[in-house]
Amino acid sequence: MWRVETSRLEVAVVVCGPVVYTVRARVPGTGRFQVREANENEHPSSIFSEWLAMTETNLHRYRSHTCGALRATDIDANVRVSGWVHRVRDHGGVLFIDLRDHYGITQVVADPDSGAFSEAERVRSEWVIRVDGRVRARLDGTTNETLATGEVELFAAEIEVLSEAGELPMPVFGEPDYPEDLRLTYRFLDLRRETLHANIMRRLDVVKSIRTRMNDVGFNEFATPILTASSPEGARDFLVPSRVHQGKFYALPQAPQQYKQLLMISGFDRYFQIAPCFRDEDPRADRLPGEFYQLDVEMSFVEQEDVFDTMEPVIRGVFEEFAEGKPVTEKFPRIPFDEAIAKYGSDKPDLRNPIEMQDVTEHFAGSGFKVYAGMIEKDPKVRVWAIPAPTGGSRAFCDRMNSWAQGEGQPGLGYIMYREDEAAGPIGKNIGPERAEAIRAQLGLGAGDAVFFAAGRPEKFHKFAGLARDRVGQDLDLLDKDRFDLCWIVDFPMYEWNEDDKKIDFSHNPFSMPQGGLAALEAAKTDEELLDLKAYQYDLVCNGYEIASGSIRNHVPATMVKAFGITGLGPEVVEERFGAMYRAFQYGAPPHGGMAAGVDRIVMLLIGAQNLREVTLFPMNQQAQDLLMNAPADVAPSQLRELGLRVTAPPAKKSE
């Protein structure tokens, strides 16, 4: 037996025959061994030198390099990597292991002559292993240009299994489509998938960029409380029972609205926060149930344009940074709310769609199309809106749109198809050629085009008309989808009619300043006049999504009391529910305003995801359940007793 020992390595050679012998190495003080069979042409000293080189680098227990770090400059280096087994491939008895960690993938090679081969044969997908070995160049024609490590591979000398994985409920490699509830239940596996993992890292990059840009324009980041008081912000509160004050409740903040206004009254001038917000509202694709994050902003001594001038470059800069070359609106247009409704049927229009609706009521008044003519005659508030459809003048397309409208609960969707020599379709025939031609000229249509119509009181049908506009634009492929079109929607109504309660209510943020201030509120005597009042209130819209909302705030106590009084909330209610802010207004409040931008929604748009769960670490499902942590869940009776609470049986669901 030949033996040599250093402080770092002990190597023994056991002669098993005239030709083959075994080289066995042990790191002193550990139970870890390396074993290799050698032949008479390999002297033990050379193997000893190779293995000793592995220890001379003073390698970390688990890795000297990440799986995304190795390059051609590392060829012939002895390294150590650890990670998850992405996949194993057997090429004629030689095993190739794609080893993955947070940083990338390294190809590991183990052949039958390697001491690591027996362990390599054992490993399976998602096992966690450590690999020691020598970096070598890949053979000509086998490099992988899609990988940062694609020029090299790691020839394994030793493999240590750090953790075994059971049978996977869903695969990580390849990312096949799997049911969302299964993905959320095993979110820790889902997050290992390349696309989702990259989405989350892109989200971090976006948030970093936002923070940097806000700091660069002089904002200070403050943290506001999570446990607070219930406050109307447009959704239901999540309530937290108090143990110390039994029978009373905290609320999770729907937004830091009152706190950020109080910060301005406290003299801090420019505030921002990447704020968690909690709202008990129904989920949808562009809304997360329970919890979301927003860029919360407030500024003192500003008017509406000051907010726009400050925040527009921030938002545009973030989009340009992560748009991957897609065009971003240079100067965001200001579109009044009423104009947005009339042109696009929505206060969050997708401006990539070139279609603009127009009022064509005059062409139908007294016309031969008795349906619309009769409606106009009976009710002066009835309007007819036209939805142009360039290139949509085929019978098949018009019938398809009509069927779609019926699927939306409408009786149908009237239309005219323009030919070279006629206006085809029932409306075109009944309205007469002169009126049909006047509509065509007003809309700038030609042969092969069509126009659809929506009629009634605009407040009743504008949402449907907006959906029809969207549908026409999508089906006729009129949208330039590789761009980001942003705009400000301004001059929102201060109030709206609450049909359920049969009363006037706030249409948006109740803390907004009405245009004209207290004088405008006092001058409005009728419901109609109140509903015509505008507020210094605005939304930022991108590609059909509201990504931010804000206002210039009401900072005058008398105006605040009057504004809430119109909705039926008297001074005592205002003082009780908004006592801190109402008191603060008595002691010198600066004019102030701000906005809040949805971080999740911005990231969703930038990466082209279809819903917010693709950019969120641990979201709930569509039923507002956290399937990973099994929440909401029952709690122990002792916990309820401490809180002074008793749970009653939920009402039985009505059978369908």
Side-chain angles (χ1 to χ4, degrees):
M1 178 181 291
W2 181 88
R3 181 184 299 274
V4 61
E5 182 174 359
T6 71
S7 61
R8 293 184 298 274
L9 194 67
E10 175 188 330
V11 176
V13 177
V14 180
V15 179
C16 299
V19 178
V20 178
Y21 59 89
T22 300
V23 183
R24 180 182 177 92
R26 180 176 65 86
V27 178
T30 75
R32 293 191 295 111
F33 288 87
Q34 289 188 177
V35 179
R36 176 171 161 187
E37 289 189 346
N39 59 48
E40 60 184 354
N41 296 320
E42 295 181 278
H43 193 275
S45 61
S46 65
I47 299 173
F48 173 73
S49 298
E50 178 183 332
W51 284 348
L52 184 62
M54 296 287 295
T55 67
E56 286 177 338
T57 57
N58 195 26
L59 297 180
H60 183 273
R61 170 70 177 90
Y62 296 115
R63 62 188 181 190
S64 63
H65 295 71
T66 69
C67 292
L70 298 178
R71 300 291 188 270
T73 53
D74 298 303
I75 290 172
D76 289 331
N78 294 292
V79 303
R80 174 173 294 164
V81 295
S82 292
W84 287 262
V85 175
H86 197 53
R87 63 171 176 164
V88 182
R89 293 162 287 140
D90 188 339
H91 288 188
V94 178
L95 298 178
F96 292 83
I97 300 171
D98 290 339
L99 194 66
R100 183 196 75 246
D101 66 6
H102 171 74
Y103 304 96
I105 292 177
T106 290
Q107 178 172 281
V108 176
V109 182
D111 63 23
D113 294 330
S114 167
F117 188 75
S118 59
E119 284 294 83
E121 286 186 305
R122 213 166 61 84
V123 302
R124 297 292 182 267
S125 291
E126 298 308 302
W127 285 29
V128 182
I129 64 174
R130 173 189 60 79
V131 181
D132 289 359
R134 184 180 294 276
V135 181
R136 66 185 189 184
R138 294 201 191 189
L139 297 175
D140 290 342
T142 65
T143 58
N144 187 342
E145 295 181 356
T146 63
L147 291 179
T149 61
E151 292 183 278
V152 299
E153 59 191 12
L154 182 61
F155 189 77
E158 179 184 357
I159 292 177
E160 178 187 5
V161 176
L162 303 175
S163 176
E164 297 184 6
E167 184 177 349
L168 299 175
M170 54 179 284
V172 174
F173 174 76
E175 304 185 56
D177 193 25
Y178 261 65
E180 187 173 77
D181 278 5
L182 184 66
R183 292 178 58 195
L184 295 179
T185 301
Y186 295 94
R187 190 63 164 183
F188 48 86
L189 291 178
D190 200 27
L191 287 165
R192 294 181 192 176
R193 293 176 156 197
E194 183 180 4
T195 301
L196 185 55
H197 202 89
N199 287 355
I200 298 301
M201 295 309 298
R202 177 56 60 94
R203 177 194 178 105
L204 293 182
D205 291 338
V206 171
V207 171
K208 287 178 188 175
S209 177
I210 289 172
R211 278 201 165 92
T212 299
R213 295 173 188 277
M214 293 303 293
N215 285 318
D216 288 346
V217 292
F219 283 80
N220 299 301
E221 187 169 7
F222 296 95
T224 53
I226 298 299
L227 290 176
T228 183
S230 180
S231 172
E233 301 282 351
R236 299 180 188 88
D237 287 320
F238 282 103
L239 300 177
V240 181
S242 171
R243 178 187 60 81
V244 177
H245 305 282
Q246 289 192 3
K248 297 183 181 296
F249 294 82
Y250 303 100
L252 302 181
Q254 296 187 32
Q257 182 69 50
Q258 293 191 66
Y259 285 114
K260 70 179 183 179
Q261 290 191 243
L262 289 166
L263 282 168
M264 298 302 100
I265 299 169
S266 303
F268 287 105
D269 202 276
R270 287 194 167 197
Y271 144 96
F272 90 98
Q273 182 182 189
I274 308 296
C277 302
F278 307 88
R279 298 181 185 179
D280 187 5
E281 56 189 357
D282 296 330
R284 62 189 192 202
D286 66 331
R287 176 191 293 164
L288 289 172
E291 179 180 355
F292 63 95
Y293 284 80
Q294 64 185 31
L295 166 63
D296 209 50
V297 178
E298 201 73 13
M299 309 163 62
S300 289
F301 302 107
V302 292
E303 296 181 307
Q304 185 169 278
E305 282 298 317
D306 297 313
V307 178
F308 294 169
D309 291 343
T310 301
M311 294 306 301
E312 187 170 313
V314 172
I315 300 298
R316 182 173 54 248
V318 171
F319 270 86
E320 288 175 342
E321 182 177 351
F322 296 98
E324 298 181 338
K326 297 177 182 177
V328 178
T329 306
E330 180 61 31
K331 178 66 177 176
F332 302 173
R334 279 76 156 151
I335 304 174
F337 173 86
D338 291 342
E339 181 183 329
I341 297 298
K343 283 186 176 181
Y344 312 112
S346 171
D347 59 0
K348 39 184 179 289
D350 188 346
L351 297 184
R352 298 173 302 170
N353 184 347
I355 294 173
E356 293 186 357
M357 299 186 297
Q358 294 191 39
D359 190 326
V360 292
T361 308
E362 64 176 314
H363 303 301
F364 284 93
S367 72
F369 190 66
K370 300 300 184 184
V371 176
Y372 289 175
M375 293 168 63
I376 296 166
E377 186 178 358
K378 290 178 184 177
D379 186 351
K381 292 187 177 181
V382 163
R383 313 307 296 169
V384 181
W385 288 3
I387 308 162
T391 72
S394 70
R395 175 72 66 180
F397 177 71
C398 292
D399 287 346
R400 194 160 66 245
M401 284 297 300
N402 190 58
S403 298
W404 168 83
Q406 292 170 345
E408 294 291 317
Q410 302 294 319
L413 189 61
Y415 57 84
I416 296 175
M417 298 177 293
Y418 287 101
R419 310 281 193 248
E420 287 288 352
D421 55 353
E422 66 170 339
I427 292 180
K429 290 184 171 86
N430 284 286
I431 199 175
E434 290 184 2
R435 292 175 183 261
E437 174 60 20
I439 292 172
R440 187 204 64 74
Q442 180 181 333
L443 300 177
L445 299 175
D449 298 335
V451 57
F452 298 91
F453 302 98
R457 287 195 172 193
E459 65 268 23
K460 301 289 187 182
F461 74 73
H462 74 81
K463 289 184 179 179
F464 167 72
L467 291 174
R469 170 186 175 268
D470 292 341
R471 183 81 180 202
V472 170
Q474 291 165 4
D475 284 8
L476 296 178
D477 199 24
L478 302 178
L479 281 71
D480 181 359
K481 296 180 180 179
D482 290 326
R483 63 181 301 110
F484 296 103
D485 277 343
L486 295 103
C487 66
W488 296 102
I489 305 298
V490 300
D491 300 340
F492 274 82
M494 184 74 183
Y495 299 105
E496 65 182 9
W497 182 254
N498 186 325
E499 188 62 37
D500 294 334
D501 297 333
K502 305 298 181 186
K503 73 179 189 73
I504 285 177
D505 211 342
F506 290 109
S507 74
H508 216 289
N509 190 316
F511 303 109
S512 301
M513 177 69 80
Q515 295 183 13
L518 180 60
L521 296 178
E522 291 178 336
K525 303 300 184 184
T526 66
D527 286 352
E528 190 167 343
E529 288 174 338
L530 287 168
L531 293 173
D532 285 338
L533 289 175
K534 306 299 184 186
Y536 290 112
Q537 202 158 260
Y538 37 85
D539 282 357
L540 181 58
V541 174
C542 178
N543 293 2
Y545 292 93
E546 174 206 323
I547 63 170
S549 183
S551 70
I552 299 301
R553 317 304 183 187
N554 185 350
H555 70 284
V556 180
T559 309
M560 182 180 182
V561 170
K562 181 66 177 178
F564 277 91
I566 289 170
T567 69
L569 301 177
E572 68 286 349
V573 178
V574 173
E575 195 165 352
E576 178 187 349
R577 297 180 67 175
F578 315 108
M581 202 152 64
Y582 183 71
R583 285 194 305 274
F585 285 169
Q586 318 295 322
Y587 298 99
H592 57 282
M595 57 175 274
V599 172
D600 315 276
R601 203 168 289 177
I602 288 172
V603 176
M604 183 186 78
L605 285 168
L606 285 170
I607 69 171
Q610 296 306 303
N611 69 65
L612 291 170
R613 286 176 291 280
E614 297 302 314
V615 300
T616 307
L617 275 169
F618 301 108
M620 297 183 186
N621 67 2
Q622 291 279 16
Q623 288 73 48
Q625 296 170 302
D626 181 345
L627 299 179
L628 175 63
M629 304 299 289
N630 191 32
D634 296 329
V635 297
S638 59
Q639 292 174 281
L640 293 175
R641 285 195 297 271
E642 285 185 328
L643 296 168
L645 298 177
R646 184 174 63 219
V647 177
T648 61
K653 293 184 178 179
K654 295 180 180 179
S655 58
E656 297 184 2

